[in-house]
Each structure stands twice: as C-alpha cells, then as structure tokens.
C-alpha cells in the first residue's frame, strides 16, 4: 500500500472539508464579522466548523484511497 498517496489524499480532502466547514459557518450566520451571540463558544464557532470539516475530510480521504489501493492489490 502506498502510504504517501494515502496521506496526500487525506490532507487534500481535509483542505476541502475545512473549506466546506467555513462555508457552512458563513451560510449559517447573517453577518460573518458581526457576531450575534456574546458567548466565547459562539465567537469561535466558525473555527470549530473548519476543524470538524477537516477531520471528516481527512477520514473520508484516507478511507477512499485505502479502498482504491486495496482494489489495485486485489487485481494483481
């Protein structure tokens, strides 16, 4: 199994996942720079969406590339 390809795929999909997380935080808020809530949890919510999206993207990317590598090994 090509470990470099698996990690590269995970990192690239993590980047895509973080962008999707930031977009979902942006869509969920009327004005991105003017916060509606004063709690510290809500003030850092957009960064948490980015981290959550990156984590999910990393897991999906690694899983997808592992399946692709295992299919290639099975054909040989």
């Amino acid at each position: 199994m090509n470990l470099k390809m698996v990690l590269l795929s995970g990192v690239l999909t993590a980047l895509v996942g973080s962008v999707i997380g930031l977009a979902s935080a942006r869509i969920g808020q009327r004005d991105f720079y003017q916060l509606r809530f004063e709690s510290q949890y809500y003030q850092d919510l957009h960064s948490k969406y980015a981290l959550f999206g990156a984590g999910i993207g990393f897991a999906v990317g690694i899983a997808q590339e592992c399946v692709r590598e295992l299919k290639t090994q099975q054909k040989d």
Side-chain angles (χ1 to χ4, degrees), residues 35 37 39-51:
L35 300 172
F37 304 107
S39 171
Q40 187 65 32
Y41 177 78
Y42 288 108
Q43 288 178 0
D44 297 333
L45 191 59
H46 59 279
S47 64
K48 289 183 174 127
Y49 276 133
L51 289 175

Side-chain angles (χ1 to χ4, degrees), residues 3-59:
L3 187 61
K4 288 182 183 179
M5 281 298 288
V6 171
L7 288 176
L8 180 68
S9 177
V11 168
L12 290 178
T13 53
L15 290 174
V16 171
S18 67
V19 169
I20 291 172
L22 283 174
S24 66
R26 175 72 173 108
I27 290 170
Q29 218 173 15
R30 291 182 189 197
D31 188 10
F32 191 67
Y33 295 108
Q34 184 179 13
L35 300 172
R36 295 188 330 212
F37 304 107
E38 294 184 17
S39 171
Q40 187 65 32
Y41 177 78
Y42 288 108
Q43 288 178 0
D44 297 333
L45 191 59
H46 59 279
S47 64
K48 289 183 174 127
Y49 276 133
L51 289 175
F52 185 69
I56 295 293
F58 187 75

